Amino acid sequence: VAAAAVAALAAATLSGCSGISTTTVAEQEFVNDLTIPPLAASSVDDGVRTFHLTAQEGRTTFPGVDGETVTWGFDGGFLGPTLRAARGERIRVVVDNELTEPTSVHWHGMHLPAAMDGGPHQMIEPGATWTPTWTIDQPAATLWYHPHPHGETEKHVYNGLAGMFLLDDDASMAAQLPHEYGVDDLPLIVQDRAFDRDGQFELRHDGAEPGMLGDVVMVNGTVGAVEEVTTERVRLRLLNGSTARTYTFEIPGHPLALVATDGGRMDAPVALDRIRLAPGERAEVVVAFEPGETVRMRSVVTEMGGIVVPATTGANDAFDVLEFRAADALAPTPEPAWAPSVHVEEDALHETDATVTRAFELEGREINGREMSMSRIDEVAYVGDTEVWEVHSSQPIPHSFHIHDVQFRILTIDGASPPPELAGPKDTIFLEPNREYRLLLRFEDYADPAMPYMYHCHMLLHEDEGMMGQFVVIEHGQEVWVGPPGYDDD
Ligand code: C2O
Ligand code: CU
């Protein structure tokens, strides 16, 4: 199946580019302890929990690479600490930019005012500080943060600016799920990179779709990572933090109990053999291990909607990602289980409430025939409205569609109910070509006629080259203020 699909894919004509990336992942030795990003320190003052993040340049040593690599990170050389806060908390993040160019920090998956969102309208100049503050008002989830400078997001993320943002709530703390950060509850930021002859990150723009695919895969910045397992079950918080590569993860012989998607817990655990994650997507899975065993999580090739995932011409582009070594005696862990959240009803979306339907066609580097413009508002939404977004792409290349501010539900894919792994709260989805995705969402609050949120492809080259649009959320009766100070198209 995969080989036929590869041939079909290679034969497909792709306008305006030189074809599909041919990069396959190199074999690694799995001998390096998995790095766990530290939990970010915070202090609570006047009821506000304050974090500090500093975007900076550093030097990082990667195994198998000669010399030091110039990298970017938050509070360190590469990636950033894990922020953690609870539903209902007021938080503030003091972000310093010590880089020599402007950047921004977007809280991916967070429901918050557009002015705090960290998109391309909240740039932080070199030497400047940006201090967004908001109240956490959504269920427990695995979110993340990364820069969003218009036209430069791929480079900033590729250089290393990314981290996790974990949200807790009462139900998540009471749930029967592994909870101990870095022990049986592991953040796993999966990314690929390429290195040049000097050991520096190489970001090629050679026209290959869906963008730059590296031949080195790392988890939390660790190449060939090994994690010592000490408990019967481990919760993996998987984030595809790559710029273009889509993964399909499996641990042979080990079912993955999917407990949460992008925006939080499922109604109940779903047993999967594998899970596909496009750039920007997250999943929490609980995996059971046998005492003394060594197994690897790997990414395998899957064929979806006529395209091969990952979209490379290497039909055997399956590779190991992370090795687990279970101790001879494992601490007992119960099966994942939880009581329904008290917030479930209040958070529920109903299709019968939808009053607006919008259609989005992704093609070339455009959405609905337009490239991103910082000075154009593409869509106007109203507080309190429930909407259906119909998203479609017809090219034989993958896209990853992301909407800021909301968590949506997938109503149907080509008219059918989504598979169980796509039934939870989502903010990003892999788009298989020639399929119609109907998404249900609601704009709760935070009207701001002068500040837009983004929707875009999360394959970052596509985003940078224009596959993005802007929407504002306003009150019924309010008018959009187009062209506030600071809008420009550069
Ligand atoms: Cu993860 Cu608009 O981004
Ligand atoms: Cu795309």
Side-chain angles (χ1 to χ4, degrees):
V1 171
V6 167
L9 181 64
T13 319
L14 296 162
S15 51
C17 66
S18 63
I20 290 294
S21 174
T22 54
T23 306
T24 53
V25 173
E27 291 258 326
Q28 297 293 338
E29 256 195 295
F30 283 76
V31 290
N32 304 300
D33 287 343
L34 175 70
T35 299
I36 299 294
L39 284 170
S42 62
S43 56
V44 182
D45 236 330
D46 274 344
V48 182
R49 179 179 297 282
T50 300
F51 298 91
H52 291 261
L53 286 178
T54 300
Q56 58 193 71
E57 186 179 293
R59 303 268 181 285
T60 304
T61 307
F62 293 97
V65 176
D66 286 338
E68 293 185 314
T69 306
V70 176
T71 53
W72 292 2
F74 292 103
D75 300 357
F78 191 64
L79 298 179
T82 298
L83 276 59
R84 184 158 208 167
R87 186 170 193 160
E89 273 193 300
R90 183 96 190 138
I91 69 152
R92 174 193 297 132
V93 190
V94 181
V95 186
D96 291 315
N97 180 8
E98 290 184 358
L99 299 168
T100 54
E101 56 191 278
T103 191
S104 82
V105 180
H106 167 57
W107 320 103
H108 180 129
M110 196 78 74
H111 171 55
L112 79 181
M116 308 298 164
D117 191 40
H121 294 284
Q122 285 90 42
M123 295 302 293
I124 316 167
E125 294 301 318
T129 300
W130 178 58
T131 312
T133 178
W134 71 95
T135 299
I136 305 291
D137 183 21
Q138 65 192 94
T142 298
L143 310 186
W144 66 302
Y145 61 93
H146 62 79
H148 217 300
H150 184 37
E152 302 280 328
T153 295
E154 181 195 38
K155 171 182 151 188
H156 286 224
V157 173
Y158 194 80
N159 281 348
L161 293 175
M164 283 217 181
F165 201 138
L166 308 185
L167 301 185
D168 301 313
D169 62 17
D170 294 345
S172 72
M173 297 316 286
Q176 209 165 274
L177 287 170
H179 274 133
E180 214 182 321
Y181 183 83
V183 177
D184 60 9
D185 182 356
L186 306 176
L188 301 178
I189 304 173
V190 183
Q191 299 179 308
D192 59 342
R193 293 293 188 279
F195 293 86
D196 67 17
R197 280 167 215 273
D198 300 323
Q200 302 306 310
F201 282 160
E202 181 183 36
L203 184 50
R204 289 187 305 273
H205 286 138
D206 54 9
E209 291 289 358
M212 170 77 199
L213 300 184
D215 60 349
V216 174
V217 169
M218 49 184 73
V219 182
N220 302 337
T222 308
V223 179
V226 175
E227 173 66 11
E228 309 282 345
V229 171
T230 56
T231 55
E232 284 174 356
R233 287 185 171 78
V234 177
R235 175 192 200 167
L236 310 178
R237 297 181 189 252
L238 293 161
L239 159 63
N240 182 348
S242 304
T243 55
R245 185 181 282 278
T246 294
Y247 303 88
T248 301
F249 296 116
E250 66 173 31
I251 303 176
H254 294 64
L256 310 173
L258 179 69
V259 298
T261 49
D262 301 334
R265 270 187 316 285
M266 314 283 295
D267 293 337
V270 173
L272 300 173
D273 291 332
R274 52 187 68 89
I275 184 152
R276 181 187 64 199
L277 294 180
E281 285 188 296
R282 290 89 64 210
E284 294 179 29
V285 298
V286 174
V287 183
F289 293 97
E290 295 296 327
E293 73 172 341
T294 293
V295 284
R296 287 185 186 172
M297 182 173 81
R298 57 205 303 262
S299 180
V300 297
V301 175
T302 50
E303 189 271 330
M304 300 272 170
I307 59 170
V308 174
V309 180
T312 77
T313 52
N316 56 357
D317 193 11
F319 48 87
D320 294 333
V321 175
L322 172 61
E323 182 167 292
F324 295 97
R325 292 183 196 158
D328 290 335
L330 298 174
T333 327
E335 293 225 28
W338 54 87
S341 159
V342 290
H343 292 290
V344 158
E345 247 327 288
E346 108 193 19
D347 291 329
L349 290 163
H350 302 286
E351 186 177 4
T352 47
D353 295 335
T355 52
V356 178
T357 300
R358 300 174 201 269
F360 298 88
E361 178 71 33
L362 282 75
E363 192 168 4
R365 295 295 190 253
E366 299 176 335
I367 301 180
N368 291 342
R370 293 186 298 249
E371 276 186 12
M372 162 75 178
S373 165
M374 294 278 284
S375 55
R376 184 191 63 237
I377 301 301
D378 297 280
E379 307 289 335
V380 178
Y382 295 92
V383 167
D385 281 5
T386 299
E387 303 198 354
V388 174
W389 286 26
E390 297 174 347
V391 190
H392 182 265
S393 115
S394 55
Q395 291 173 300
I397 50 172
H399 296 294
S400 176
F401 190 74
H402 170 48
I403 311 175
H404 287 208
D405 182 48
V406 295
Q407 294 293 331
F408 52 78
R409 294 281 176 159
I410 303 173
L411 283 174
T412 55
I413 302 173
D414 279 351
S417 299
E421 67 269 27
L422 294 177
K426 296 285 293 168
D427 55 52
T428 307
I429 48 162
F430 183 91
L431 294 184
E432 297 176 16
N434 291 311
R435 295 222 155 146
E436 169 114 314
Y437 293 78
R438 295 178 66 247
L439 316 178
L440 184 65
L441 47 104
R442 181 171 60 213
F443 299 101
E444 305 276 356
D445 42 23
Y446 302 140
D448 186 342
M451 190 52 70
Y453 298 101
M454 307 293 136
Y455 55 90
H456 58 89
C457 182
H458 218 288
M459 300 199 172
L460 299 181
L461 179 68
H462 295 179
E463 173 187 338
D464 284 345
E465 292 188 343
M467 194 170 257
M468 178 154 68
Q470 310 198 96
F471 68 96
V472 287
V473 177
I474 59 177
E475 298 285 352
H476 281 281
Q478 246 180 349
E479 274 177 35
V480 180
W481 180 24
V482 182
Y487 275 47
D488 73 52
D489 251 321
D490 301 334

